[in-house]
């Protein structure tokens, strides 16, 4: 079935209420912290108070004698008994050498390298007793100089790791440098911009949590964990860290309260609890508090870039040159190395026909928490760099923000970019036109004058983004350094009554898979979505799959389900042909009925399902009983959602306060399964993207390496009253290479919104002489920029 036929089926495009919401709204969800196991103990992690220090000694004697303490593990207990946390993506430097990959121990060995680094695990009968004992562990530290900022890392005065004596992880590049240099040499105009993409803390609603247990009778481990991809968690832990047979470890990710990328990874706590459960023959549970989450969850972003755009006299783009310094933090997290390279630089062509692009990336170790994928993962950083400089170029050339974009939009597809990717389809002019209509751009001048009358400055900002979703195909990803496949799996189990259970390797942690996947299956089989259950998150029940990240669930996981449904339909047609005494080649299936072409014979899907399990008068020599099929799907290309966002802000020059007054977002997600769920995903992404632009900022003290924004008192999270009513629109150009025509929608809002907001803020401040401003555009920062411009 092609994407165009699929989009016309019942339930596709229907705004069904989410099936899973009833249990969440009534308190019936089951998160990891809701699980209590027999013979369970509690863990507390002693964490480093220093950003960089040598561990001279650890004295656990007094702590071990405290009430309820079962055992205290330190680095000495695990050294030589397990490997360190692995990095899942190998990047090769421009000189052909592999990236520097220092050991990432489960518990610190000899040194701590960031505030929050794991020093010891205390196991006790209660959390209170574990915490009390943890506070009694005496660690003698020799405090070392810190490398907190990128500038300090590049100075190479202090080395974090012996394996990276100059603190550099890799130098990587993509594009034709000579071609870019030649284009710049003949350019009519060159725009230059220095940008900082601020570090962010993910702050999922549910902090990380895990329970490790061990069964001596079967020699099997079970790990309950708040995680986005349990099969990958199990693979990394068994193959690279603990050296266990994979089938002896079961990973269960039950209901998960948000992830945004931060729960993709294998963390030290997960390994320590699993390993410790066997040592103590008991289950061990740990739930992070919010302070621990700030310190130890993988952070996002943290780039410093220099961007240059060369143009001809008409504002047509000739070449783009980018240099980025990327902060890796103290260690390499699971997919950290791919974010500022493969997921970043390959998107720098954007929606434009720029003939030449060259990007060079230097990645550095610092005494800060590891940095990895955060909602958008590289795509927001690329869009921010590109869309900021495009707007700046428009102002320098005397063009409007929309005009410079329209002059450079790609209009013919497929389109091969100069940075490896080939876009299959899109309509960027349609997105722009609809966004301008929704934003009422024609009325902007009147609104600006009204703001001026109130003593306020009003600005408008554009952002035309594109992202690559699906993170595939596996063979290309492998050639680019991926150390795992990037396929997905789906199993369809039709029951005798005609109801269906779907087993998927994708994981839902807020996306609404239990509804969307049910709509896909119901549409194909002609049954009610209420007759479809979706099972995910348990390696003991679902086939091997790669989990959820990169907006891949519907376009990769959904496509695997479609492939399995193809097999179900093919077998069901044979059963129906037998029942109707016809050739299966003459049998059609639509709207839940099998019919024989050219006759009035028909039979419902439920009858065929029952016959599959009650095979009376059944040709067992030709057909085996049952109706259960599995399929794997590995995409042939990324999918490419795109869109245009337009933001209007009002700025109070007296206080620096920025208020987002209007926001229009038009996206092309291809086929839309459930518009209500898509709208919710876009709203969430917009909130996070605008939060980065105006409020959120993770800050370390440059001298001590202490996290200064370690709580919600210091780290400003967006609230509902920070936003206007979003106006959303959609353009539909179905993806050409997956059977649903879908592209992915989970990250778009966070990708396109930061540059739209910042362009609007700068548009408002231009009359005051403010030329540039870094995120977040907080009141203090905006006020300072205004005062500096006055001076």
């Amino acid at each position: 079935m092609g994407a165009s036929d699929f989009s016309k089926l019942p339930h596709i495009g229907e705004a069904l209420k989410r099936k899973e919401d009833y249990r969440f709204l009534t308190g019936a969800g089951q998160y990891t912290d809701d699980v209590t196991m027999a013979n369970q103990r509690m863990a507390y992690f002693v964490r480093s108070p220093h950003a960089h220090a040598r561990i001279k000694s650890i004295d656990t004697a007094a702590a071990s004698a405290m009430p309820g303490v079962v055992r205290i593990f330190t680095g000495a207990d695990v050294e030589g008994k397990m490997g360190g946390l692995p990095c899942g993506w190998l990047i090769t430097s421009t000189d052909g050498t592999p990236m520097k990959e220092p050991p990432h121990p489960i518990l610190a060995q000899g040194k701590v390298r960031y505030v929050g680094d794991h020093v010891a695990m205390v196991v006790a009968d209660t959390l209170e007793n574990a915490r009390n004992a943890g506070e009694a562990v005496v660690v003698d530290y020799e405090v070392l100089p810190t490398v907190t900022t990128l500038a300090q890392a590049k100075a190479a005065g202090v080395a974090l790791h012996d394996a990276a004596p100059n603190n550099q992880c890799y130098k990587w590049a993509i594009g034709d440098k000579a071609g870019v240099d030649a284009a710049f040499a003949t350019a009519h105009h060159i725009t230059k911009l220095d940008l900082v993409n601020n570090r962010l803390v993910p702050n999922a609603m549910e902090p990380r949590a895990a329970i490790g247990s061990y069964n001596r009778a079967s020699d099997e481990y079970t790990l309950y964990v708040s995680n986005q991809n349990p099969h990958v968690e199990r693979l990394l832990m068994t193959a690279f860290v603990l050296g266990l047979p994979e089938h002896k470890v079961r990973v269960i990710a039950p209901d998960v309260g948000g992830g945004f990328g931060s729960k993709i990874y294998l963390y030290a706590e997960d390994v320590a609890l699993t390993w410790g459960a066997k040592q103590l023959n008991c289950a061990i549970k740990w739930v992070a508090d919010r302070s621990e989450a700030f310190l130890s969850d993988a952070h996002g972003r943290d780039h410093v870039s220099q961007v240059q755009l060369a143009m001809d006299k008409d504002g047509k783009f000739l070449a783009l040159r980018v240099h980025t310094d990327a902060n890796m933090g103290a260690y390499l997290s699971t997919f950290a190395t791919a974010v500022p390279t493969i997921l970043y630089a390959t998107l720098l062509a954007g929606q434009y026909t720029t003939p030449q692009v060259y990007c060079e990336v230097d990645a550095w170790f610092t005494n800060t928490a590891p940095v990895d994928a955060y909602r958008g993962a590289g795509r927001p950083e690329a869009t921010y760099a590109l869309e900021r400089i495009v707007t700046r170029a428009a102002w320098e050339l005397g063009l409007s923000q929309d005009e410079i974009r329209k002059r450079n939009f790609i209009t013919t597809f497929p389109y091969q970019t100069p940075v490896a990717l080939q876009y299959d389809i899109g309509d960027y002019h349609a997105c722009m036109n609809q966004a301008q209509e929704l934003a009422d751009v024609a009325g902007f001048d009147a609104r600006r004058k009204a703001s001026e009358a109130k003593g306020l400055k009003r600005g408008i900002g554009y952002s035309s983004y594109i992202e690559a979703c699906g993170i595939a195909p596996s063979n290309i990803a492998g050639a680019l350094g991926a150390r795992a496949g990037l396929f997905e799996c789906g199993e369809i189990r039709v029951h005798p009554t005609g109801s269906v259970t779907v087993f998927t390797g994708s994981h839902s942690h807020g996306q609404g898979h239990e509804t969307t996947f049910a709509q896909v299956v119901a549409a194909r089989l002609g049954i009610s979505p209420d007759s479809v259950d979706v099972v995910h998150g348990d390696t003991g029940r679902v086939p091997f799959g790669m989990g959820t990240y990169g907006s891949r669930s519907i376009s990769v996981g959904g496509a695997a389900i479609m492939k399995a449904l193809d097999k179900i339909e093919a077998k069901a047609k044979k059963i129906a042909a037998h029942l109707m005494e016809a050739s299966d080649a003459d049998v059609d299936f639509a709207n839940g009925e099998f019919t024989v072409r050219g006759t009035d014979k028909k039979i419902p899907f439920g009858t065929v399902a029952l016959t599959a399990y009650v095979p009376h008068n059944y040709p067992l020599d030709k057909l085996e009983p049952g109706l259960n099929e599995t399929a794997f799907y590995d995409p042939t290309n990324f999918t490419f959602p795109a869109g245009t966002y337009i933001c209007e802000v009002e700025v109070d020059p007296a206080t620096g306060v920025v208020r987002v007054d209007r926001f229009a977002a038009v996206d092309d997600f291809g086929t839309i399964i459930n518009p209500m769920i898509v709208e919710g995903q876009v709203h969430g992404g917009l909130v996070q993207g605008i939060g980065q632009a105006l409020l959120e900022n993770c800050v370390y003290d440059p001298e001590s390496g202490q996290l200064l924004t370690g709580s919600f008192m210091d780290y400003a999270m967006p609230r509902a009253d920070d936003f206007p009513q979003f106006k959303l629109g959609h353009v539909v150009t179905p993806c050409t290479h997956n059977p649903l025509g879908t592209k992915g929608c989970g990250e778009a809002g966070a990708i396109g919104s930061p540059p739209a907001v910042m362009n609007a803020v700068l548009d408002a401040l231009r009359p005051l002489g403010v030329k540039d401003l870094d995120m977040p555009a907080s009141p203090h920062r905006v006020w300072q920029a205004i005062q500096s411009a006055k001076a």
Side-chain angles (χ1 to χ4, degrees), residues 192-245:
K192 300 179 180 181
L193 192 60
D194 294 340
L195 296 168
V196 175
N197 206 298
N198 43 320
R199 180 182 281 233
L200 302 174
V201 179
N203 281 319
M205 186 178 295
E206 176 207 22
R208 288 190 296 119
I211 310 170
S213 67
Y214 175 72
N215 186 323
R216 283 191 173 177
S218 61
D219 190 30
E220 291 178 338
Y221 301 79
T222 299
L223 174 67
Y224 280 87
V225 62
S226 182
N227 183 266
Q228 297 177 217
N229 46 357
H231 275 288
V232 175
E233 169 111 352
R234 181 177 72 166
L235 174 64
L236 294 173
M237 184 163 58
T238 57
F240 294 96
V241 185
L242 294 179
L244 297 171

Side-chain angles (χ1 to χ4, degrees), residues 575-600:
I575 299 172
H578 167 71
L579 293 175
M580 294 186 287
E581 300 179 333
S583 168
D584 60 290
D586 296 327
V587 175
D588 294 325
F589 178 59
N591 300 319
E593 286 188 331
F594 297 88
T595 57
V596 179
R597 210 171 301 120
T599 76
D600 61 355

Side-chain angles (χ1 to χ4, degrees), residues 460-475:
I460 189 167
Y462 283 69
S463 171
S464 295
Y465 79 91
I466 190 166
E467 59 168 326
C469 296
I471 317 300
S474 293
N475 58 346

Side-chain angles (χ1 to χ4, degrees), residues 205 246 280 303 397 421 435 466 508 548 628 672 691 752 757 778:
M205 186 178 295
E246 195 170 2
L280 303 179
H303 287 188
L397 292 174
L421 300 181
I466 190 166
S508 181
T548 294
N628 184 6
I672 292 177
V757 174
S778 62

